[in-house]
Amino acid sequence: MHYSKGLLWVISGPMFAGKTSELIRLYDRTTYANQKSIIVKPMLDNRYSNTDVSTHDNRTRKSYVLLNIEELNEVVGLEKPDNVFIDEAQFFNSKVLNVIDDLRKESINVYVSVLNQTSEGHPFPFMDKKADVGTLLAKADYINTFTAICPICGKFATKTFKIEATGHEVDVGGSNKYEPRCFEHWEPKK
Ligand code: TMP
Ligand code: MG
């Protein structure tokens, strides 16, 4: 598969599907080709590390931790990367959509990992609620949708189930709070 420069590649799916692992794989792939790549993530995602992107099993890569997506422009100005990797894109404002468009216009490839749905089954809204990740997926050149495995039946899980309903749409956590589920065994609230 060959894409011109300025591609938008989105990695989507429920929790525990390997989205960040895939982002790291794609990042490593570019570095083996001697391309300059940077990884960024939102400060909100402090689950496993304040500096690195991290998978649930603690595989990490150094990243820029951004309070706002606008800070990415400054980082890109300094680093002049060929590729920008964004983890947990749902935890930025909808301005992330414009920032990505601008990077692409500068022929920078953008790879994005995103949680596609809330535990309630809605397209994940960006933090300012002005758009949701559906727009990001619609803009993508290429989408990899990953599944997890439902612990109830062993079938493919496309949903994320919240173990204790808290009423908060944004609730950072891991297996202490969430489980992957197939459509049949998923329910929005316990
Ligand atoms: P992950 O997709 O890399 O596992 O991370 C998803 C993050 O999103 C994790 O911190 C939990 C959080 N989250 C919410 O805030 N609300 C939700 O409805 C769901 C399903 C996850
Ligand atoms: Mg992740």
Side-chain angles (χ1 to χ4, degrees):
M1 217 171 332
H2 177 77
Y3 290 101
S4 56
K5 285 185 171 181
L7 80 89
L8 174 58
W9 180 319
V10 177
I11 301 157
S12 166
M15 292 180 69
F16 312 106
K19 298 186 301 297
T20 304
S21 299
E22 176 67 359
L23 194 77
I24 289 175
R25 184 185 76 84
L26 294 171
Y27 167 82
D28 287 353
R29 205 174 70 138
T30 62
T31 60
Y32 294 132
N34 297 321
Q35 295 178 0
K36 174 107 185 209
S37 297
I38 58 166
I39 310 183
V40 302
K41 71 168 197 177
M43 202 170 280
L44 188 62
D45 174 32
N46 59 357
R47 268 178 305 176
Y48 306 110
S49 167
N50 285 323
T51 52
D52 300 343
V53 286
S54 179
T55 63
H56 294 286
D57 63 346
N58 292 321
R59 295 179 46 233
T60 61
R61 292 293 178 278
K62 280 270 160 277
S63 75
Y64 285 95
V65 183
L66 309 180
L67 188 54
N68 296 302
I69 193 63
E70 288 92 335
E71 291 172 18
L72 181 54
N73 294 325
E74 199 181 319
V75 176
V76 165
L78 286 171
E79 294 271 11
K80 308 221 179 324
D82 302 299
N83 308 288
V84 170
F85 291 78
I86 305 175
D87 197 22
E88 305 281 358
Q90 75 281 358
F91 286 155
F92 286 113
N93 279 342
S94 61
K95 290 202 182 104
V96 68
L97 297 166
N98 306 102
V99 171
I100 289 170
D101 281 345
D102 291 344
L103 293 173
R104 299 181 68 190
K105 282 181 206 146
E106 290 173 47
S107 300
I108 295 170
N109 299 316
V110 185
Y111 297 80
V112 185
S113 159
V114 72
L115 180 65
N116 57 353
Q117 293 174 45
T118 66
S119 60
E120 298 278 307
H122 303 303
F124 215 106
F126 290 112
M127 292 299 100
D128 58 1
K129 312 264 188 212
K130 289 188 178 159
D132 63 45
V133 301
T135 308
L136 176 71
L137 289 158
K139 282 170 168 270
D141 292 314
Y142 184 66
I143 302 170
N144 266 163
T145 301
F146 286 90
T147 57
I149 291 180
C150 176
I152 311 289
C153 67
K155 290 184 189 145
F156 286 174
T158 54
K159 300 287 201 179
T160 309
F161 173 70
K162 192 159 191 183
I163 299 164
E164 293 277 341
T166 59
H168 298 296
E169 194 164 56
V170 174
D171 189 5
V172 172
S175 55
N176 55 331
K177 294 182 182 167
Y178 298 98
E179 266 181 23
R181 291 286 177 92
C182 69
F183 186 69
E184 191 188 341
H185 291 116
W186 165 80
E187 47 186 335
K189 283 202 179 76
K190 216 176 170 187

